[in-house]
Amino acid sequence: MVSTHDHPGEQAAGDPIRLLAIRDTPLSVDEIFRAVGDDAAGGTALFAGTVRNHDGGQDVGALGYSCHPSAQDELRRVAEKVVAEFPVRALAAVHRVGDLRVGDLAVVVAVSCPHRAEAFEACRKLIDDLKHEVPIWKHQRFSDGTEEWVGAC
């Protein structure tokens, strides 16, 4: 989608990629939401992924995320693709690594755009591409003693 920039407020204001991180500390929805605040945005879409207590019909007892050293660079590449495809005013994405508990935030992404439809579409592309292209892996340990690795890419 291409913005017509009919109003001065629609002009790009610096780098729309406001926050990208892979952290081993708890994530904050409020931090991500604040990072994408923009007076020219009419729509902000936010996705928060949490650790659930089951997967594939099994009870999840513990879960951990790890990443490849290139993960931060790949996260930037994914974000840049979204910014190139949509009229993004601001974008943020943070993924957690390390050991997490059921209910913990594993990933939070948000995008603000001039209109809600493009914000929804851009946010969906951001989380889908992050999960498919950024080398972050999930290690699930089930209550029956079995375990599995789930690759992001």
Side-chain angles (χ1 to χ4, degrees), residues 1 12 14 16-17 79 82-92 110-114 118 122:
M1 301 187 134
I17 299 174
V82 171
V83 167
E85 186 173 338
F86 297 93
V88 172
R89 298 295 306 176
L91 177 150
V111 178
S112 62
C113 293
E118 52 209 20

Side-chain angles (χ1 to χ4, degrees), residues 16-20 29 31-38 40-48 78-94 108-128 130:
I17 299 174
R18 305 272 176 85
L19 173 62
L20 295 177
V29 169
E31 176 192 21
I32 305 307
F33 185 72
R34 280 191 310 272
V36 297
D38 190 287
T44 299
L46 184 141
F47 173 81
V78 164
E80 288 171 349
K81 281 191 335 186
V82 171
V83 167
E85 186 173 338
F86 297 93
V88 172
R89 298 295 306 176
L91 177 150
V94 182
V108 182
V109 301
V111 178
S112 62
C113 293
H115 304 284
R116 76 175 172 272
E118 52 209 20
F120 278 125
E121 291 172 32
C123 189
R124 181 172 188 125
K125 178 154 183 64
L126 177 59
I127 188 61
D128 287 351
L130 185 160

Side-chain angles (χ1 to χ4, degrees), residues 49-152:
T50 56
V51 176
R52 63 181 178 268
N53 66 359
H54 68 282
D55 190 35
Q58 297 187 72
D59 292 333
V60 173
L63 183 142
Y65 285 95
S66 60
C67 68
H68 189 271
S70 69
Q72 184 76 29
D73 291 337
E74 291 302 309
L75 181 57
R76 175 153 292 276
R77 188 184 58 75
V78 164
E80 288 171 349
K81 281 191 335 186
V82 171
V83 167
E85 186 173 338
F86 297 93
V88 172
R89 298 295 306 176
L91 177 150
V94 182
H95 203 296
R96 178 112 182 251
V97 292
D99 293 328
L100 284 77
R101 295 178 301 173
V102 169
D104 283 348
L105 290 169
V107 61
V108 182
V109 301
V111 178
S112 62
C113 293
H115 304 284
R116 76 175 172 272
E118 52 209 20
F120 278 125
E121 291 172 32
C123 189
R124 181 172 188 125
K125 178 154 183 64
L126 177 59
I127 188 61
D128 287 351
D129 288 359
L130 185 160
K131 295 307 273 181
H132 289 103
E133 297 177 26
V134 179
I136 298 173
W137 304 283
K138 177 170 54 173
H139 183 209
Q140 297 187 117
R141 294 174 294 283
F142 300 105
S143 58
D144 67 1
T146 61
E147 57 186 55
E148 74 175 349
W149 283 91
V150 180

